[in-house]
Amino acid sequence: MKRPGWSPSLTDTPETPYYTSSISSIVRTSGGDASLSEITEDEGAFGRPITVDMREHVHDATSNMSISPTNRDVVLAARNGLFIIDLESPNAVPRHLPQGGTWNVADVQWNPHISHWEYVVSTSNEKLLIWNLSLGGNTAIQTVLHKHYRAITDVNWHTHEPNVIASTGLDSWVWLWDIRVNAKPTMGLCAFNPGATQVKWNRHDPNVLASSHLNTVVLWDRRKGTVPLKTFRAHSAKIYGIDWGTMQNPSSLVTCSLDNSIKLWDTQSVIRSDTEDPTPINVINTSYPVWRARNTPFGKGVLALPQRSETTLEMWSWDLINQSPDAPPVAQFAGHKDIVKEYVWRVIGFDNGDPQEYQLITWTKDRMLRLWPIQRETIKGVSSESQRNSSPVRSKRKPTSAIYRPASFRDIPIFPEVGHTVGDMSVLLPSAEHRSASGDIRVKENEKVIRNTDPEKQSTSDVPSGDPLVIRASTMTRGGKTSSKVDLKPFTWLTSVRIGEAQADSGSGHGSVVQSRQTSRSRPGSVNVASRSAETSAQRDDSLRTEPADTQELLKEEIVNAINALSMYKLELENVDVDVSRTCTIGFQGDWSETSVYMRVTFQFPPAYPLSRNPSDSPDISLERNPLIPRDTRLFLLRTLRSIRDRRPCLEDCLRFLVGDQKYGRQQDSSDDESQERQGTKKAQLSVVRGQKNIPEFRNLQGYFGPNGEIICFFGAPKRFMRGRPMDASPPPMSAKSSNIDPTMFQTGHLSVAVRKLSEFANLHDPTFSLSSNIEADNVVRVMDQLLIGNRRRRATTGSRGREQEVSAQKGQSVLSIRDVAHLVAAEKRVAQVYIISTRNPSALCEENAAIARKHGRYDHERMFRVLQPLVANVAPQQDRYAAVRWGQFPMARQLIVKLYEELCGKKDLQLLAMMAVVLFQAEMLTPNLQAAHLSQPDPHQNPFLTAGRPVQSNPDYFGIRKLSESRQAGTEASWGSRTSDSPTSPVAPRSFTSSISSKSSWSSIINSSGVRLLMGGNQDRSKIDPASPTEQMPPERGALPSKQNTLEFRRSRNSISETSVSFLQPPVKSAAVPQVISRPRVTIPPSQPRRLTFSQAVTSKSSAVPTKRLVVDLDYDWDADTQPLPQSLMDEQMHKQCEAHIRAYAEMLPHWGLMHKRAELMKCIPKRARDDPWRFTRVIQILAFANATMYHMSPPLQM
Amino acid sequence: MSTQATDIASGGSLPIETAHDDMIHDAQLDYYGKRLATCSSDRTIKVFDVVDGQQQKSSPGQTLKGHSGPVWQVAWAHPKYGHILASCSYDGKVLIWKEDQQSQQGGTWLKMKEHSLHTASVNSVSWAPHELGAIVACASSDGKLSVLSFKNDGTWGADIFNGHGIGCNAVSWAPATVPGSLIIPSQTQPSQSQSASQPTQSTGTSNSVKRFASAGCDNLVKIWAFSDSQQAWMEEETLEGHTDWVRDVSWAPNIGLPRSYIATASQDRTVVIWTKDSPSSPWQKTSLEKFPDVVWRVSWSLAGNILAVSCGDGKVTLWKENLKGVWECVSEMVN
């Protein structure tokens, strides 16, 4: 509505309440005055200072707050949305309207017009968000207005037109918007200056607005367009806040700035003046930069908000300042723990349009909301003399009529369907469920407990109840609940709100409204009087308000404490209303039927609780009806609760009883009650254990490995009832299968067990080995012994079978057994004890360990050693009779080793892996040079085998071929053994091949495959020189040994050799060198020969080697380092590393068996690197350990 | 040989009577296999000496009392720290016990430390590899995992963090050596890494060797690694695959092969073996055959080649991976 300029405005303050009838139809009309007065007196927390701790809910700092035009709700704007707190029920969980955004909110303002009271505007960087709080759906944002191109710093609703907003920002534009027109702003005003900080509409003239830019103020008239009325420099530093004057002086403007001053201007004179630097009417000098300074809604005062470092708000009176520029502030609001970011005024209680009481609401940076009552004296202090006398603020608050009690936006307003009368529906529907704004489920009690469910009383804080249709509507119109990111549990919220918190500073009990500050230049007289009287009045006020405050707080504390104490039981505080109706509903898991049941109990506390010990002031307790709970149990519960509730405090005890906590066990009326309870609680406790949804069902069966290849297992209570099964102190294994009563049959069972064990032993170590009958014989004896023993026991216990059965069934659960599965685990302690690790010669190591393995029955180990031995056989220190030979001569070695290694890796046999690694490392260490040059070298040792007078070996026999031939002979170990004694130089390699073939190892697979060809081919080169050089007495049997089969093979392979020799990558041997070798022991092979061998050469060598029959071995070699061909490294880098890792891992395993000395030996095998030995500190006591049988006297180096 | 009728080396098993009043929940042999600790629903822990699988008659077991609820698990610490036992219980506490070794016979167990940071039942407790120090990880039904470490100055430090939403069931430490490398962590010399032949040591979290896996009620297995830069435990990986609560997780000991194995047992009646071929490759899963009932526990042998699976149908089965990579059952044990 348009008004002529500068006419008196209709209203005093911008936040004049203005009720329309449509709104009041939503409002519950209360029954009678009695309830009303009740409400007004302990109303919300109007009279008392409240502290609301929002820290847990609002995670980032919000700096903005606004109050609704009805003064009932406060909105806090944060990055993640808006929070609406109902000031009358601060203990109720605030409503959260989510907003996805990462921008801090610069400003938020609730539409000050009651007619449009559902609109709130907030900023999001350069956008304006218009929220409509009555919107349902996902979000409450109705519109987004975007015109600024830089961040918005201030918004301001028009003081008269409810749809108009002015916004301004860092881009120095002021945009005027009409929210009915969404697309574009209606007008834009630009100051072309640095960005604006504030914009404010004049409270009186609808066309005038002011904006502040840096340190200048620009006055606009929107009818004038984009040329300002006046631009004037107001301060010397940045202006933070501006505020137009109230009715008394509508053209006055208050500005505050960084330069520590608040100035009051008369804009009319400023406009009329020509200068850019007018003088203000009044200046207040503060000691701090002022962030906001606004006129008070009462009198002529200004409340200043410091920008930083100060936490006290100060209120000045302009009149006093007029009289003396250094007048002290009239009032101070101290006690904030952090700087105050925003404040709003709250007015309550209108009597014919006159505000009755004021409240200051401050929001601090530490996210605490505080409500300060304004004392009358304060108001007087800022009022002018005339005002003080004429219209005193009423001393007693009159009850306001219901029509003026607005609804809170904390709940989503429901627009009732036509035809339904809202209210009283709850009477008709016994247990309707509905959701309140915060999404809690509240179950209405049935009409028995009507006191709880008084819809009138609860109307202020929840949606209309009882009407299912309305309820459904409510769930649909829930605003943004589903996407709320904020977890607002009533319990958490409850702990955040504190009423009547005692502040530090002043002497008064509540709040710390310090009336005056003594300064040197103050006027002591009047001010002091004011202060004294203020204090006394404050105290008087306190006494009036102590009672209700305390009980409320006490009740809240009690609820909080009870829930905390029983946090183990996961109680759910579903609904709590401490302020108005003093009820709370708690959900819990209780074991009052066969299974544990989720139940709800509602407590309704009379006002005098908990201070009064009168039984009539005990709470009303009602249990939700649950079909799973039998009637008797329910009655029992209610009866017991009734007896418990007379205690003070009773909530925790009641809850303890309900959840079946065993700590609950107080005096009972009757003994049977007690025993019943004990049982009940015990049962309840157990069921709590089981019913706790997060405790996994506990296991009573387990098999766990021990360090020595044993499994320790227990099987809990037997699942099947084994009827007639005789329990024994030491039942043989697998006896579960023999569940018969008949003793004879049981013996049969034994036999079957015996047979099974026999077969087990057969498979025990080596799946292919089947020859060691002597060992099996031992096992059979063992089994037979057990049989006999078992039989004897059987006879003894036949008579007492029945009794034992029962006993042992109970005992069964506490019995465990240790079973040995070392045969599967593969790593064995007893062989670990005896394996030799450190010898100089890796092949001797292999041999000895092979023998040891055999002795202990570990044929798989033996096989490995035997396979490995020839591969390392040719490495020996110089002093040894085994002359050192290079690796490269036997190119297959590497591949074989890799193959063997892979097999062991597949079996994951750590022991063997480590032993193999040891062998390989040793071999490596002994070779003088480790360069990867390829070479070939005749092996004098191998030579004896090469052409041993066999007709087959017209083809130069290589080491490999010879081995093949021998290997195909089965069971010739004995003969070989003798042979080795004859020929000291012959390595025991042949034997290994024997066993390896028979054990179907990868070796045989190599042999049988094309690898053989390679083998042949490779060795062929080398052996060109062979036939002549070595000499050895070949045992005569050798010639006789090869079987037909071998011959055939050889022939076949021989043929293939010729084909493949060319392709084989072996360094060639000059055929010319052949004859030389015969005479000289030294073999020189130039390493830089082309690799390929021509066919002719091969053929030549073949032919030349054929006639040789005798081999001469000259053992006195004199190897010249220069002429030595460079050795090829046996393992590649990766394998090398892994081998070292194997050794280390094995070394970690050895201490489990107590073999510390073995471990020490083992660690020495690792080639020289920095060895980090975690056990180094135990070296000192290794000797002790070794000497001492038991390990438990090791003094730990770590004193704990 | 013939006198070894009842010795376990022959495959027989002698039951040990523990004299617990209620169900046994865990039994663990110590590092040397000479002592046995059992814990039960009767809120006590008992320690016995065993030799060759038999309970020694000469020294009866000792009973350790201190919990106020069923004790779920016990774990022996490495003997270099002394005779230390950790136990966890329904009452939310983890107790560390130490034996006084004054005399051979009269060794008594004293409660050395009580750790009650959890607000619900602690379901599992596990000692870290001894190279990392005296560190114990606990999993609790309040959804949190905590790591307690005994520091050099004699105090205990505790890290507690959210693990699995509804509850955590088990923890298992990774071996201290990262497979495929030779880094052996040492408390005093953190930069002991050999310069010589460290291959692909990817930077970032794979370098840290303080690592453990946790099994939770959210059907997930998570791997946690300690980040030195942030001095906190960070979730490194999540292994999804189970369809019900994961009851147990066990990280196979490292024998020097580059491959890592983790076995997990779940209430969905499956056991999944997770393998990782190198520190930078992802985890791949292989399931064992479906079991007839829920699987409660998995345990690797010391050399990491056999897996013992404890199933609710009353059997403990042993599984081994054959050369083709298929897991097959090699043995079965019943009561």
Side-chain angles (χ1 to χ4, degrees), chain A residues 915-957:
Chain A
M915 296 308 295
M916 179 171 174
V918 163
V919 169
L920 294 176
F921 278 151
Q922 277 203 354
E924 227 176 54
M925 281 198 290
L926 290 175
T927 56
N929 277 318
L930 283 183
Q931 293 187 29
H934 294 284
L935 58 98
S936 77
Q937 184 68 27
D939 182 5
H941 310 287
Q942 297 166 353
N943 295 333
F945 300 104
L946 293 178
T947 56
R950 288 192 189 197
V952 187
Q953 291 166 3
S954 55
N955 179 22
D957 190 2

Side-chain angles (χ1 to χ4, degrees), chain A residues 311-329:
Chain A
T311 62
T312 313
L313 300 180
E314 294 178 331
M315 187 190 294
W316 277 273
S317 156
W318 283 118
D319 289 337
L320 286 180
I321 295 289
N322 243 342
Q323 291 159 21
S324 93
D326 293 320

Side-chain angles (χ1 to χ4, degrees), chain A residues 771-1030:
Chain A
L771 288 186
S772 57
S773 48
N774 41 351
I775 293 187
E776 283 190 63
D778 292 339
N779 295 335
V780 169
V781 170
R782 261 183 247 159
V783 168
M784 289 326 241
D785 281 345
Q786 208 166 9
L787 262 177
L788 292 171
I789 294 169
N791 264 340
R792 268 184 253 122
R793 285 209 204 101
R794 212 51 76 243
R795 275 179 240 122
T797 61
T798 314
S800 56
R801 208 182 305 143
R803 186 174 41 83
E804 272 191 6
Q805 206 180 313
E806 192 186 284
V807 167
S808 46
Q810 275 176 5
K811 275 196 320 181
Q813 62 182 3
S814 64
V815 173
L816 42 81
S817 54
I818 301 182
R819 308 189 185 194
D820 182 40
V821 287
H823 56 286
L824 293 172
V825 171
E828 227 180 292
K829 180 175 172 178
R830 55 201 173 113
V831 288
Q833 279 169 327
V834 290
Y835 275 153
I836 294 166
I837 296 173
S838 52
T839 58
R840 297 296 294 150
N841 184 358
S843 85
L845 191 155
C846 288
E847 178 179 357
E848 289 165 31
N849 282 337
I852 293 168
R854 189 205 170 87
K855 192 172 85 173
H856 284 263
R858 291 306 300 259
Y859 299 101
D860 48 352
H861 288 205
E862 189 193 354
R863 171 167 61 81
M864 196 280 285
F865 285 120
R866 301 251 184 242
V867 169
L868 207 49
Q869 190 173 12
L871 305 179
V872 301
N874 304 309
V875 176
Q878 303 239 355
Q879 308 84 283
D880 205 331
R881 300 218 281 169
Y882 297 96
V885 182
R886 304 297 170 258
W887 281 111
Q889 166 203 345
F890 191 20
M892 269 309 289
R894 192 172 176 162
Q895 297 180 24
L896 284 173
I897 285 172
V898 166
K899 203 74 183 193
L900 181 65
Y901 180 73
E902 277 166 21
E903 189 196 335
L904 290 179
C905 282
K907 284 184 6 187
K908 289 188 234 154
D909 188 343
L910 180 59
Q911 198 166 32
L912 282 186
L913 281 170
M915 296 308 295
M916 179 171 174
V918 163
V919 169
L920 294 176
F921 278 151
Q922 277 203 354
E924 227 176 54
M925 281 198 290
L926 290 175
T927 56
N929 277 318
L930 283 183
Q931 293 187 29
H934 294 284
L935 58 98
S936 77
Q937 184 68 27
D939 182 5
H941 310 287
Q942 297 166 353
N943 295 333
F945 300 104
L946 293 178
T947 56
R950 288 192 189 197
V952 187
Q953 291 166 3
S954 55
N955 179 22
D957 190 2
Y958 306 112
F959 180 72
I961 298 176
R962 169 54 51 183
K963 296 295 165 297
L964 276 180
S965 66
E966 258 89 47
S967 65
R968 283 192 179 93
Q969 302 143 16
T972 55
E973 285 176 351
S975 53
W976 279 117
S978 60
R979 226 173 297 133
T980 48
S981 56
D982 294 340
S983 56
T985 59
S986 68
V988 294
R991 197 186 309 163
S992 72
F993 284 90
T994 313
S995 55
S996 64
I997 293 295
S998 63
S999 59
K1000 290 183 274 186
S1001 68
S1002 55
W1003 179 248
S1004 54
S1005 62
I1006 295 173
I1007 292 164
N1008 291 328
S1009 67
S1010 61
V1012 167
R1013 280 188 225 143
L1014 289 174
L1015 185 62
M1016 304 302 169
N1019 287 327
Q1020 175 179 11
D1021 302 329
R1022 274 183 272 113
S1023 69
K1024 270 179 272 174
I1025 48 176
D1026 293 338
S1029 46

Side-chain angles (χ1 to χ4, degrees), chain A residues 442-581:
Chain A
R442 172 185 301 185
V443 175
K444 284 284 190 231
E445 304 310 310
N446 46 26
E447 43 282 23
K448 258 194 322 198
V449 201
I450 206 107
R451 222 172 129 198
N452 280 356
T453 66
D454 188 0
E456 329 312 330
K457 241 195 241 169
Q458 293 178 330
S459 65
T460 58
S461 51
D462 55 13
V463 278
S465 59
D467 186 355
L469 290 173
V470 175
I471 289 163
R472 250 172 256 123
S474 85
T475 53
M476 284 193 298
T477 60
R478 258 184 308 145
K481 196 66 214 89
T482 51
S483 55
S484 167
K485 298 186 200 86
V486 176
D487 181 25
L488 289 171
K489 282 196 157 352
F491 179 61
T492 333
W493 183 252
L494 211 56
T495 51
S496 315
V497 179
R498 213 170 301 137
I499 298 177
E501 179 180 286
Q503 307 288 331
D505 294 2
S506 68
S508 62
H510 288 281
S512 60
V513 180
V514 177
Q515 293 297 89
S516 70
R517 183 175 57 178
Q518 302 284 351
T519 65
S520 55
R521 279 179 290 172
S522 68
R523 281 158 151 252
S526 57
V527 177
N528 276 345
V529 166
S531 74
R532 253 183 280 127
S533 58
E535 273 185 13
T536 49
S537 70
Q539 279 158 11
R540 236 186 304 129
D541 290 341
D542 293 348
S543 58
L544 280 177
R545 293 170 189 155
T546 304
E547 269 266 333
D550 283 349
T551 50
Q552 198 156 326
E553 279 297 293
L554 282 175
L555 181 63
K556 200 166 69 154
E557 264 176 45
E558 186 180 334
I559 296 177
V560 168
N561 289 339
I563 306 255
N564 277 334
L566 294 169
S567 59
M568 196 163 59
Y569 294 104
K570 295 192 173 58
L571 298 173
E572 189 77 29
L573 182 64
E574 291 185 355
N575 237 325
V576 60
D577 186 357
V578 178
D579 306 304
V580 182
S581 59

Side-chain angles (χ1 to χ4, degrees), chain A residues 280-297:
Chain A
I281 305 173
N282 243 332
V283 179
I284 301 175
N285 286 311
T286 62
S287 57
Y288 43 79
V290 187
W291 181 243
R292 295 277 186 266
R294 298 201 195 107
N295 287 308
T296 55

Side-chain angles (χ1 to χ4, degrees), chain A residues 58-113:
Chain A
V58 179
H59 297 287
D60 54 325
T62 77
S63 54
N64 275 285
M65 174 175 64
S66 181
I67 195 166
S68 78
T70 58
N71 286 305
R72 170 93 187 255
D73 296 321
V74 147
V75 61
L76 291 164
R79 255 189 277 193
N80 54 351
L82 300 182
F83 290 88
I84 299 175
I85 302 174
D86 180 358
L87 290 174
E88 285 186 15
S89 314
N91 282 317
V93 182
R95 173 178 169 196
H96 173 63
L97 297 154
Q99 167 197 344
T102 54
W103 301 105
N104 268 330
V105 179
D107 197 13
V108 64
Q109 193 184 1
W110 209 309
N111 193 320
H113 302 96

